[in-house]
Amino acid sequence: MSYIKDFDKTYTPDKQKNAVLGGVLYLVGTPIGNLSDISERALKVLSEVDFIAAEDTRNSGKLLSYFDIKKPMVSYFEHNKRERGEMIVSRIEAGESCALITDAGMPAISDPGEDIVRICAERGVPVSVVPGPCAAVSALAMSGLFTGKFVFEGFLSTAKNERREALESLQNERRTIIFYEAPHKLRGTLADLMKAFGNRKISLCRELTKLNEEVLRMTLSEAIAYYEENQPRGEYVLVLEGASKEEQKANAFWAEMDEFAHVAYYTEKGLSKNDAIKAAAKDRGVGKSEIYNIVMKK
Ligand code: SAM
């Protein structure tokens, strides 16, 4: 028996493992632009479930008819998710199988999918995932920025205060930060990012997997200048460089304090002198003895 044959055998999808079962919610990832990105398993699940819950039945109808799949669909979107979610989960509890698809990409990532998974989790209804493209992860991979650690922020709130608070809370974030954004809000968001983070690197990942796929790797000020001249078009993921160690230090609450004030800050909060020295040393990224020698010298 050759190695290749063995490999093929282990690679052949196990029929039992891939069986579509009643009483299960399948989260099915769908393409974010290029229909060829649909997986074999996604097509099988969509063809075999009892019904499909879709964010936009017209939009998903086009996807299904492209693959010649005819299935009853129910709509499940932001404004009907509460009562529709309950109804869908009750049908699954009664033994039906359901595939959840959203407009594009991985259901439950910045779309109403997350709520129905929560209902299933609360009611002990099995959920199975059929992974597919996700705009955030695809953009991160394309960004050219540090990918080892990242945070996903989804869409920034349009409410002024909430948006400001969210951006402020990210100022010291060392990890790469991912945002989703709509084209008509891009210019405003770039200006807000510049104000909150200064002139950091950003990768603007546009129309991924589509004909006009583009990644602009630039600084925030270059991006602002670019979009003064060019109209933002299509769907965007913004991947922003995290804070440098120096920035983190400069933004820290203790940046203006000397070692005495920093230790006092913690003792006033109720820590013992020793623990306050430890905490201040940790903040400053130095050894405890360094702070100890300074504050105990007098
Ligand atoms: N659940 C989807 C996912 O994670 O892939 C995202 C759904 S969210 C409602 C839609 C946002 O994803 C868009 O506004 C855009 O920011 C991003 N997006 C989706 N498809 C994209 C694409 N082809 N290129 C760039 N961004 C995309």
Side-chain angles (χ1 to χ4, degrees):
M1 207 185 287
S2 77
Y3 168 76
I4 292 292
K5 262 197 184 153
D6 271 357
F7 178 79
D8 277 345
K9 225 160 94 192
T10 51
Y11 217 67
T12 304
D14 172 341
K15 279 205 181 97
Q16 196 50 42
K17 202 159 76 189
N18 279 331
V20 176
L21 306 171
V24 176
L25 173 72
Y26 291 90
L27 292 180
V28 180
T30 58
I32 56 171
N34 189 327
L35 292 181
S36 304
D37 291 336
I38 194 102
S39 75
E40 197 181 318
R41 186 161 163 245
L43 291 176
K44 178 178 160 62
V45 171
L46 291 171
S47 310
E48 294 184 14
V49 284
D50 294 309
F51 69 103
I52 294 172
E55 193 176 2
D56 179 337
T57 50
R58 259 186 39 193
N59 191 20
S60 297
K62 287 184 207 151
L63 176 85
L64 297 176
S65 85
Y66 181 85
F67 291 108
D68 211 15
I69 295 172
K70 293 178 189 74
K71 276 287 150 184
M73 269 198 279
V74 298
S75 71
Y76 174 76
F77 56 89
E78 193 53 38
H79 300 294
N80 73 358
K81 66 182 181 188
R82 188 165 296 179
E83 97 285 353
R84 199 47 73 82
E86 295 285 337
M87 183 276 268
I88 292 167
V89 176
S90 299
R91 284 180 66 176
I92 299 171
E93 281 175 324
E96 289 186 89
S97 55
C98 172
L100 175 72
I101 54 179
T102 46
D103 276 354
M106 257 333 275
I109 305 301
S110 277
D111 62 38
E114 84 173 277
D115 295 82
I116 199 165
V117 176
R118 193 176 311 120
I119 300 176
C120 287
E122 281 164 9
R123 288 166 49 168
V125 170
V127 179
S128 184
V129 71
V130 183
C134 174
V137 174
S138 307
L140 176 69
M142 294 273 277
S143 68
L145 295 172
F146 175 61
T147 62
K149 290 185 180 177
F150 61 92
V151 287
F152 174 62
E153 277 293 309
F155 292 99
L156 279 167
S157 168
T158 48
K160 243 185 171 179
N161 282 347
E162 236 176 89
R163 187 178 176 93
R164 189 178 35 76
E165 277 169 25
L167 290 173
E168 274 174 15
S169 75
L170 289 167
Q171 277 170 338
N172 285 336
E173 178 55 67
R174 298 287 313 278
R175 294 167 290 186
T176 301
I177 309 166
I178 306 173
F179 301 97
Y180 282 164
E181 194 48 288
H184 64 283
K185 295 187 190 147
L186 182 73
R187 285 177 174 140
T189 295
L190 289 175
D192 289 348
L193 294 181
M194 181 74 178
K195 208 167 138 201
F197 301 104
N199 197 20
R200 290 209 194 149
K201 284 186 192 162
I202 185 165
S203 295
L204 299 104
C205 304
R206 189 175 81 83
E207 296 286 87
L208 297 177
T209 78
K210 302 182 195 174
L211 213 59
N212 296 321
E213 176 179 282
E214 181 180 50
V215 183
L216 298 172
R217 301 181 183 95
M218 31 177 69
T219 62
L220 271 167
S221 66
E222 287 167 344
I224 289 169
Y226 179 85
Y227 282 107
E228 271 166 18
E229 302 292 318
N230 298 278
Q231 185 65 29
R233 282 205 176 84
E235 299 194 276
Y236 283 86
V237 181
L238 308 178
V239 187
L240 182 72
E241 181 181 45
S244 65
K245 256 193 180 162
E246 292 68 35
E247 258 178 289
Q248 195 184 30
K249 247 184 186 168
N251 287 332
F253 72 90
W254 49 265
E256 306 287 309
M257 298 177 183
D258 64 11
E259 286 81 355
F260 293 94
H262 198 166
V263 171
Y265 167 86
Y266 281 118
T267 51
E268 276 157 28
K269 282 197 168 296
L271 260 60
S272 69
K273 186 107 184 199
N274 198 34
D275 286 344
I277 289 173
K278 249 196 228 164
K282 190 166 174 240
D283 287 344
R284 289 170 180 259
V286 297
K288 185 186 147 194
S289 58
E290 193 171 314
I291 307 291
Y292 187 89
N293 289 339
I294 295 170
V295 297
M296 299 307 251
K297 243 194 301 185
K298 279 193 175 172

